[in-house]
Amino acid sequence: MGYQDLEFANDSVFLITGAAGFIGSNLVEAVLDLGYEVRGIDNFSNGRKENIEEFINNENFNFIEGDIRDYKTCLKAAEGVDYILHQAALGSVPRSMREPLIYEDNNIKGTSNMMEAARQNNVKKFVYASSSSVYGDSKELPKEEGKEGQVLSPYALTKSVKEEYAKLYTKSYDLECIGLRYFNVFGRRQDPFSEYAAVIPKFIKILKDGNQVEIYGDGEQSRDFTYIENVIEANLKACLADSKAAGEAFNIAYGERFTINKVYDLMCEKLEIEREPIYAPERPGDIKHSLADISKAEELLNYDPDWDFKSGFAEAIKWYKENI
């Protein structure tokens, strides 16, 4: 259980892309806490400098301000690296519906650049962020790897293409790639200020500012919300996984679901606020229900998540109370 007791070779070097982002900065912190060398790269298009301020003076942390869309930058960043945790990407389904071309450039070209840089530098494992959005219009619950539907957004399409590249690089170039299909990750450092902020930090900020939350649809859409600690565990265990996991993608979640209405009610309770939400039309590209079957990750990655939604949610609320 957990990841605090995981061991790598003493001289292991990790490259974390998107290091100043929500998930990336948490991975930086976790790997540094384990005592290994971390190289981080970010262009601050999504990431925030304050997310990595506390690590800058750590002798085991080396930060590169750079863009993964530039192959030479990727090639240099991957020199001497054992493991790459590739988190850099543009998120947000709604934004991808409005600006599809920048998703192609960032998420697909950026990832293929990073994979090729990993191949050229003989990296041991390339672990990358995929998404539950690849299940598209599939109505089957729980979501199971190999039973995907048609994708519903450019964002989801870029994640699906990433997975195809990963299969190719694993089979044709012997680069061991492992995809992690994140299900609605939340926790400390998740940006509440962006126009495209995720639902939990966005709602918290709106409520704390004294405003009414807008919920799209009837609020009965459900999600398998996944606390950040579970995602850290999955990334690090993927680095140690047997070669038979290479080329595969895995659901990373807890395996339980909550409606948006339920999350909102819990949030109001934790913040001690009574305020009715406003309901708005559904958004194009959104998936109605999400619940993960995590048995494949349990079997091949030894994934064993400690944090259910309510325990993670309590920690997240505590962090946001102190930091926004």
Side-chain angles (χ1 to χ4, degrees), residues 258-269:
F258 288 80
T259 66
I260 301 301
N261 286 332
K262 179 63 174 175
V263 171
Y264 180 77
D265 290 343
L266 285 170
M267 192 177 292
C268 290
E269 181 184 317

Side-chain angles (χ1 to χ4, degrees), residues 56-260:
I56 290 297
N57 294 323
N58 189 313
E59 63 180 8
N60 281 336
F61 183 55
N62 175 34
F63 181 72
I64 301 165
E65 184 172 349
D67 196 320
I68 60 169
R69 291 174 295 179
D70 181 73
Y71 174 62
K72 289 182 180 178
T73 298
C74 295
L75 200 60
K76 185 173 182 181
E79 282 181 11
V81 166
D82 296 292
Y83 306 99
I84 293 179
L85 305 179
H86 178 53
Q87 313 300 312
L90 290 180
S92 175
V93 166
R95 185 182 179 189
S96 78
M97 297 295 283
R98 296 172 192 161
E99 303 175 75
L101 292 182
I102 64 170
Y103 281 75
E104 168 84 20
D105 203 27
N106 282 271
N107 296 4
I108 296 177
K109 182 182 178 183
T111 296
S112 58
N113 280 345
M114 216 54 256
M115 281 185 187
E116 179 62 12
R119 177 173 84 95
Q120 295 295 338
N121 283 284
N122 298 309
V123 168
K124 293 176 183 175
K125 283 282 198 310
F126 185 90
V127 181
Y128 65 95
S130 186
S131 166
S132 60
S133 65
V134 299
Y135 288 103
D137 63 2
S138 169
K139 292 181 170 55
E140 185 169 325
L141 290 179
K143 305 297 184 186
E144 183 181 340
E145 298 93 337
K147 296 182 178 179
E148 299 78 19
Q150 294 295 313
V151 296
L152 298 173
S153 68
Y155 168 74
L157 180 59
T158 65
K159 294 297 186 178
S160 183
V161 172
K162 274 187 184 184
E163 293 187 5
E164 292 302 316
Y165 264 107
K167 289 176 191 174
L168 180 69
Y169 266 79
T170 299
K171 183 177 180 180
S172 300
Y173 301 121
D174 294 322
L175 174 67
E176 295 198 355
C177 300
I178 295 178
L180 304 179
R181 292 178 178 174
Y182 299 153
F183 280 67
N184 296 88
V185 187
F186 72 97
R188 59 188 177 274
R189 300 197 191 100
Q190 192 172 27
D191 185 10
F193 300 102
S194 167
E195 178 187 355
Y196 300 103
V199 63
I200 289 177
K202 181 179 181 179
F203 283 9
I204 292 172
K205 184 175 188 304
I206 290 170
L207 286 170
K208 288 193 71 178
D209 287 347
N211 298 316
Q212 269 185 298
V213 162
E214 185 176 66
I215 293 176
Y216 296 104
D218 60 7
E220 288 303 299
Q221 61 269 43
S222 61
R223 298 288 181 265
D224 195 335
F225 290 100
T226 310
Y227 188 53
I228 184 64
E229 288 292 307
N230 297 335
V231 168
I232 295 169
E233 176 196 341
N235 273 271
L236 295 178
K237 285 186 173 177
C239 292
L240 296 172
D242 188 273
S243 294
K244 64 185 177 183
E248 300 289 326
F250 299 86
N251 292 338
I252 301 303
Y254 188 78
E256 61 179 357
R257 62 183 172 125
F258 288 80
T259 66
I260 301 301

